[in-house]
Amino acid sequence: MTARRTIVWTVSTIVGLAGTVATIAAFQTTLVKFSYGGALTLFLSLGAFVFIWLDWILQTDYLKH
């Protein structure tokens, strides 16, 4: 169970970070122009989306059904 929970946290963090960097690069802007708040919101939303699905797929029961 601990390994699956570590996978959920690690993968969701990596996907959130990679998605944020990819979005900023796709719009050919900088972090300052994109805004720190916007980058944080994007990171959290992408990470939460992946976290929810991985929790369900790996059955870690962070989110009770």
Side-chain angles (χ1 to χ4, degrees):
M1 181 66 81
T2 303
R4 289 186 289 175
R5 288 185 172 191
T6 302
I7 290 169
V8 169
W9 279 102
T10 305
V11 171
S12 62
T13 302
I14 290 170
V15 169
L17 183 61
T20 302
V21 170
T23 301
I24 291 172
F27 285 106
Q28 298 176 348
T29 186
T30 64
L31 184 59
V32 175
K33 289 181 183 178
F34 192 74
S35 88
Y36 294 112
L40 179 62
T41 302
L42 183 61
F43 169 75
L44 292 174
S45 62
L46 289 172
F49 182 77
V50 172
F51 187 95
I52 290 168
W53 279 103
L54 284 177
D55 177 57
W56 181 72
I57 292 167
L58 297 176
Q59 299 175 354
T60 56
D61 290 331
Y62 271 119
L63 307 172
K64 300 294 180 192
H65 317 327

